[in-house]
Structure formats: C-alpha cells, structure tokens
Amino acid sequence: MYVELKNINKNFGNFRASDNVTFSIEQGKLIGLLGPSGSGKTTILRMIAGLENPDSGDIIIDGVRVNDIPASKRGIGFVFQNYALFRYMTVFDNIAFGLEVQKKDKAYIKERVGELIKLIGLEGLDKRRPHQLSGGQKQRVAFARALAPNPHLLLLDEPFAAIDAKVRKELRTWLRETISKVGITSIFVTHDQDEAVEVADEIIITNKGRVEQKGSPAEIYKNPQTPFAAKFIGESLMIEDYGRLKGFSLDKEYPKAVIRPDFVSVTKPGNEVYPNSSATGTVEDIFFRGNLYELRLRVNGVKLTAYRSLEDEELRAGDEVSVLIYRLYLYNDNSVKLAENDVFRNVNEVFI
Ligand SMILES: Nc1ncnc2c1ncn2[C@@H]1O[C@H](COP(=O)(O)OP(=O)(O)OP(=O)(O)O)[C@@H](O)[C@H]1O
Ligand SMILES: [Mg+2]
C-alpha cells in the first residue's frame, strides 16, 4: 500500500474533524474522497500533506511514517479549489515556481515547464498571466505547477468547484486521462458524486469525520454498506412504509428503506413484463430533464420517483401506470441490506 492512514483522530477544540480514520491506497490509483460539506475531507488531505497534524494515529507514505516530516519534505503536490496561482507571474513562471525553489538549473526548468505546458494543452500561452486565462485554463496551470517537481503523490481539493458545469465535465475527463498518463497516485476531494464516480478508481465516503465506505464506484453504488452510504449515493429517496409496495414485506428489524429512481420501472397498463408483481400507480408530475423524463408517482400511498426514456410512450400527469420495483435498500440505525422484489425469487415468473 502506498498511502496508509491508521486510526487518525483530529479535534478542533471540542469538534472531532477526523474520527478514527483508517484507509489505504494502492500506488498509481486515483482516489475520490466524497462526502458532504464539513465531513472532514479537507482535514484528511491537509494532514496527509503535512499542513495539519493529527492528534493521534499514523500517516504512512511509501512505507515511511511521515507524521514528523515537514510538508516541504513529503514530496506531495497540492491543487486547491481556488487556483491559487501567483497573479503577477506568467503561466511559465507559475509552473516553474517549485523548480526555482529547488534551485534547478535554467535548462532543466525550461524543458520541464515546456513538457508540462504541452501536457496541459496550453502551448503558446506560456507568457499569459492568470487574469488572461479562463477558469479551466487556470486550473490546468495549477495542476501543472503541482506536478512540476515530480511529486510522488498528488492531492486535489475540489479542483473544479469554481468552474461552470460544462467545462467542469470536460475537465473531469481530462484530469482522469492526464493522471493516468502521468501515473501518479492521486487523491481527489469532491462533494459531487457524479464527479467522484466519473473520475475515481476508488471512492472513500466520509461522514462526520468518519470513513463510511471504500470501494470502486460500482461497489459503492450497488452495495452500500452503511445507512449513510445508501442514502447519500444516487438520487435516493427515503420511504418508511415500504411494506405497502408490491413484492416487498416489512422487515421489523429494518423500519426504513431507500429507493432510487433506477429501481423503478413504469409501463402503461397492459404492457407489464411481470403483471403479477406490478402495482397500479398514478403519475402526479412529469419533469423534462433533457435526456429523460423524471416522473413523480404515487403507488398505494407511497411517493416514488422514476426515470423514463424519451423513446418510451408518452405519459401525462394523472395517467394510471403499472409500476414494478426491482429492489430497495432496507436500513436501520446500524446496518443496511438489499431487498429484491419477490418476483425475482420466484423463478416461474421470470421471463428471459
Ligand atoms: N482550522 C480549523 N479550526 C476549527 N475548525 C475547523 C478547522 N478546519 C476545519 N474545521 C472544522 O472541521 C470540520 C471538517 O472540515 P473540513 O474542511 O475538513 O470539511 P470538508 O469535508 O472539506 O467540507 P467542504 O466540503 O465544505 O470543504 C468542519 O466542521 C470545519 O468547520
Ligand atoms: Mg473541504
């Protein structure tokens, strides 16, 4: 394991910002640290970087305990949310900054900065100053500046938070490709789950200073291991009386359930694939979401959300529909479990 955090605790006054944080990261992986605001993501990054000291626990990088090694000696690159470029320096000088501090010779600096400008696709813009760049370009410069001294580990704290949605999406893909080209172990903080899912090899979910779950985006999505993870990931909706839904019965140990729109299939009455397991519902509202419709439904008194392709037969508010619910996540205060619709346990009713 390349980076290991073992039982890290950190208090700010009485507030516990890190609560027994333990995880490890393999070399070369891009890890997304995902959690709500205030869940302790930046604190974890700052402790790894050496900008903050844990009250207890060990931080190990490449087999060496670094708790007592100052930030400047840890060989870590850091990209912040607000670019933090030097305003009066050109793109070239911004990227060269760390190399100048290391007193590298001029020829090396020229070559290395040239290489990085190419990597970030800003050839010809080396003499510009930050105010002459777009937000996306500035963030690429910040990325190149962090990479210039050849760090072993790259930390990015919400690097795209200040950038508008479309450019942000392009930058995600760019970041993923560029990091894999460079092959550097990286930790990327975000509170945007789409961003984490698209960018990261593995996601660590944080909540109230704790690590809730670590796994690949698909594992996190399909197998949430804590009630928080089940509620936090996806467009999750909480329902209390899930026993009223066809194909499910109330499990007394798990009083609540989480449902996601992608677990709900809606058809016009008569077109059901599993008629015996479909319930009748009413469309209460329809929202056009560009690439799909979002439906608000009521099924036996329970409110649900579903998606529907633009290619499917059109529905209107007030229409009666057949609703099949594939699965739910049942949860209590301590644990979560997957519940499949009864139809998928009854082989006779499944058509392939
Ligand atoms: N230097 C500090 N002094 C006191 N409290 C702090 C300090 N730094 C962080 N905190 C508190 O610790 C908690 C975790 O903060 P942190 O910045 O790590 O959260 P975060 O997950 O990065 O949130 P965000 O998504 O809003 O950036 C917050 O409640 C914050 O107010
Ligand atoms: Mg933060």
Side-chain angles (χ1 to χ4, degrees):
M1 285 296 170
Y2 194 66
V3 178
E4 284 176 83
L5 268 67
K6 291 187 180 163
N7 309 107
I8 297 289
N9 289 295
K10 174 75 182 172
N11 274 47
F12 292 113
N14 289 332
F15 184 82
R16 178 148 292 201
S18 294
D19 188 355
N20 207 26
V21 169
T22 298
F23 63 79
S24 53
I25 294 172
E26 276 173 60
Q27 189 155 21
K29 292 273 190 236
L30 172 49
I31 303 300
L33 213 50
L34 171 69
S37 186
S39 62
K41 306 180 294 294
T42 297
T43 304
I44 292 174
L45 230 51
R46 288 176 58 81
M47 289 190 292
I48 297 174
L51 301 172
E52 204 79 71
N53 288 319
D55 299 335
S56 61
D58 300 318
I59 300 174
I60 296 159
I61 300 176
D62 203 8
V64 178
R65 185 177 183 274
V66 298
N67 291 50
D68 302 320
I69 298 179
S72 59
K73 300 257 157 52
R74 291 194 192 181
I76 292 177
F78 209 126
V79 181
F80 299 93
Q81 137 178 5
N82 51 0
Y83 323 123
L85 296 178
F86 303 113
R87 284 202 293 158
Y88 301 107
M89 286 190 194
T90 62
V91 165
F92 184 99
D93 291 338
N94 263 287
I95 299 175
F97 182 77
L99 303 172
E100 299 279 1
V101 170
Q102 291 181 343
K103 305 216 181 318
K104 298 284 186 203
D105 69 64
K106 286 263 172 295
Y108 174 79
I109 294 180
K110 194 155 183 262
E111 188 193 324
R112 178 77 180 134
V113 174
E115 198 177 282
L116 287 161
I117 287 182
K118 208 164 152 199
L119 178 78
I120 61 171
L122 293 188
E123 291 107 320
L125 305 188
D126 51 325
K127 296 207 173 54
R128 291 216 188 156
R129 290 172 203 277
H131 74 273
Q132 298 167 310
L133 299 173
S134 71
Q137 289 169 333
K138 275 190 259 197
Q139 208 48 305
R140 289 181 196 218
V141 174
F143 178 78
R145 187 180 59 181
L147 282 184
N150 283 310
H152 304 296
L153 178 63
L154 184 64
L155 306 177
L156 305 106
D157 194 356
E158 310 234 14
F160 307 141
I163 293 168
D164 70 76
K166 187 152 187 296
V167 177
R168 193 171 163 156
K169 229 168 148 38
E170 288 163 15
L171 277 175
R172 282 179 203 165
T173 315
W174 175 83
L175 182 77
R176 185 173 173 82
E177 287 169 4
T178 312
I179 284 183
S180 99
K181 211 186 290 174
V182 176
I184 184 170
T185 312
S186 306
I187 308 176
F188 173 96
V189 163
T190 181
H191 58 251
D192 177 340
Q193 50 168 297
D194 292 340
E195 196 156 281
V197 164
E198 278 180 42
V199 170
D201 296 317
E202 273 198 310
I203 293 175
I204 293 172
I205 301 181
T206 57
N207 176 38
K208 295 184 179 160
R210 291 189 306 266
V211 169
E212 291 273 336
Q213 188 171 352
K214 174 170 173 283
S216 69
E219 276 162 9
I220 295 267
Y221 202 86
K222 288 187 195 155
N223 295 312
Q225 278 162 13
T226 67
F228 176 82
K231 285 180 270 184
F232 186 64
I233 299 294
E235 299 288 320
S236 296
L237 200 69
M238 201 264 285
I239 44 182
E240 297 203 1
D241 36 8
Y242 65 88
R244 302 174 67 137
L245 298 172
K246 202 160 182 176
F248 299 89
S249 38
L250 188 72
D251 180 335
K252 287 210 174 62
E253 276 182 48
Y254 295 87
K256 294 178 191 171
V258 164
I259 187 163
R260 296 180 187 152
D262 28 320
F263 298 169
V264 182
S265 158
V266 177
T267 51
K268 283 200 165 175
N271 294 349
E272 305 88 351
V273 180
Y274 306 112
N276 296 338
S277 302
S278 301
T280 303
T282 312
V283 179
E284 295 206 318
D285 235 330
I286 300 187
F287 301 94
F288 181 56
R289 296 279 184 236
N291 54 347
L292 47 80
Y293 289 108
E294 186 179 317
L295 310 181
R296 298 285 158 77
L297 308 166
R298 186 178 285 272
V299 181
N300 200 15
V302 182
K303 284 186 169 195
L304 302 175
T305 303
Y307 295 142
R308 196 160 161 85
S309 155
L310 304 188
E311 309 302 325
D312 292 334
E313 328 110 287
E314 222 171 291
L315 294 173
R316 289 168 209 280
D319 280 357
E320 203 168 83
V321 286
S322 281
V323 180
L324 172 70
I325 293 160
Y326 293 106
R327 65 191 70 87
L328 301 170
Y329 292 117
L330 311 186
Y331 71 94
N332 55 29
D333 289 342
N334 308 309
S335 62
V336 56
K337 95 171 186 189
L338 181 71
E340 297 276 2
N341 189 311
D342 284 341
V343 70
F344 300 110
R345 290 188 228 152
N346 179 356
V347 181
N348 295 332
E349 220 200 326
V350 179
F351 311 113
I352 295 177

